[in-house]
Amino acid sequence: MARKAAYHHGDLRRALLDAALAQVEDEGVAALSLREVARRAGVTHQAPYHHFADRAALLGALAAEGFGLLLRSMQTAQAAVKSGARARLVAAGKGYIDFALAHPGHFRLMFRPELHQGAQVPEGGAAYQVLVDSVAAAQAAGEAPGGPPGALVTLCWSVVHGFALLWLDTQLSTETTRKDAQAGTLAMLDALLAGAAPGAGSGTKRR
Amino acid sequence: MARKAAYHHGDLRRALLDAALAQVEDEGVAALSLREVARRAGVTHQAPYHHFADRAALLGALAAEGFGLLLRSMQTAQAAVKSGARARLVAAGKGYIDFALAHPGHFRLMFRPELHQGAQVPEGGAAYQVLVDSVAAAQAAGEAPGGPPGALVTLCWSVVHGFALLWLDTQLSTETTRKDAQAGTLAMLDALLAGAAPGAGSGTKRR
DNA sequence: GCCGCGATGTAGACGCTGTCAAGTTGGACC
DNA sequence: GGTCCAACTTGACAGCGTCTACATCGCGGC
């Protein structure tokens, strides 16, 4: 509920977050300064300190919102899939990568804990839980290999997280288009999970 | 060749790189300032500018050295394995993760291109080539699944890159020890590659 | 042998940053 | 209508990267 603000400015906290996010997305988090954010919001350089303890607190709030968006992106991608348990797992990964590539600055910020000293984010846990549940469901359905679920969760997370950052931070880009690379990687992951699954299970897509 | 320096200071360029690396490792790259580096090296705040055009150039040189170390770590890990082609591929991944977890600040810096504007690094290409060759060898030996080699390369790279960064940047750490998590993830990767391989191939380790 | 000159390092300044301290404004409530 | 406190402003400080100008060291040509 909150119902704060609407004093002088209207909702400065929101305006600051929006301005900061815009700056993070087009200049990168390293180039973000509180004074520039304040300037964009049309207030003095000290006004932000009435809403955020310091720079890290603002970035922490931004990161928290990011995890909410990440969770929704994963859920949206999963909702588009009805078929199998493994397909839903792969779809969650697609949602993860979609978000990361659509909001590079935001995504990178979220995984830079030194910038927002340990801002705890429940949505982060929720997004992780989506992954854990999807892996468990795929294993239960015999559509993914057995073995320790934790290791499989970590591997799937590593694949999508690593792919997103490699695409954003390296010259990987030169090879193909983004959509092709993403689809190719996810199809390979699907095939590996299918191939090593206890049940037979044909790969969902094979060309 | 080279044989520069040894004028006033001895080898200030080397000293600056060492000081910067030390600071990156214990404070993080965000906390690195040229002035502090100069202070550690015992020179004035302007001296570094005779060896590096600006902050980005120093970080670029540091990143370049990092890729050399990464390459060596991968080669060392591979050299310890004689057996199969897939085992050598997994070993390269182990070397990758080993380096990342042993030198977190250095590793993160290497994959933050906005900090060292496009400093081109041949060692980076060489490390990538090790991966490409290992994947090709494993496929040729029938110890890894077929399909487009590019997709498999990207997936393997994503796994180790993603794992390293997740381990460093999230609270993943709470679950198990580093060695266990790393070994578990690599074993799972090995099993997936084995399970989906055209040839039979039993997983190297299964418990 | 010495001398000039470029490579190396110093000194000071500028505008930028994050943050601390103190003053001002204006809506909400009694 | 008066009071209070959150929201915001103003001003200051140290530290940062980088620019310009100056000092010093030692090698190569005469």
Side-chain angles (χ1 to χ4, degrees), chain A residues 7-8 32-35 39 45-46 49 54-55:
Chain A
Y7 285 74
H8 302 77
L32 178 132
S33 79
L34 276 193
R35 296 175 99 109
R39 241 173 264 130
H45 66 274
Q46 264 299 331
Y49 282 85
D54 55 9
R55 188 175 188 269

Side-chain angles (χ1 to χ4, degrees), chain B residues 41-58:
Chain B
V43 293
T44 59
H45 65 274
Q46 264 300 332
Y49 283 83
H50 286 279
H51 298 274
F52 302 100
D54 54 10
R55 187 176 188 268
L58 193 160

Side-chain angles (χ1 to χ4, degrees), chain A residues 119-206:
Chain A
Q120 289 303 5
V121 184
E123 283 89 350
Y128 182 70
Q129 197 58 43
V130 168
L131 174 62
V132 171
D133 292 344
S134 300
V135 165
Q139 283 190 318
E143 297 183 16
L152 194 51
V153 166
T154 299
L155 185 132
C156 289
W157 191 9
S158 296
V159 169
V160 294
H161 191 76
F163 176 85
L165 287 176
L166 286 176
W167 186 263
L168 294 177
D169 290 336
T170 74
Q171 295 79 8
L172 194 67
S173 332
T174 59
E175 296 192 26
T176 52
T177 80
R178 164 243 164 121
K179 277 293 175 193
D180 285 350
Q182 178 177 343
T185 301
L186 288 174
M188 181 60 77
L189 175 61
D190 186 75
L192 290 184
L193 293 175
S202 64
T204 47
K205 320 181 167 176
R206 217 55 180 283

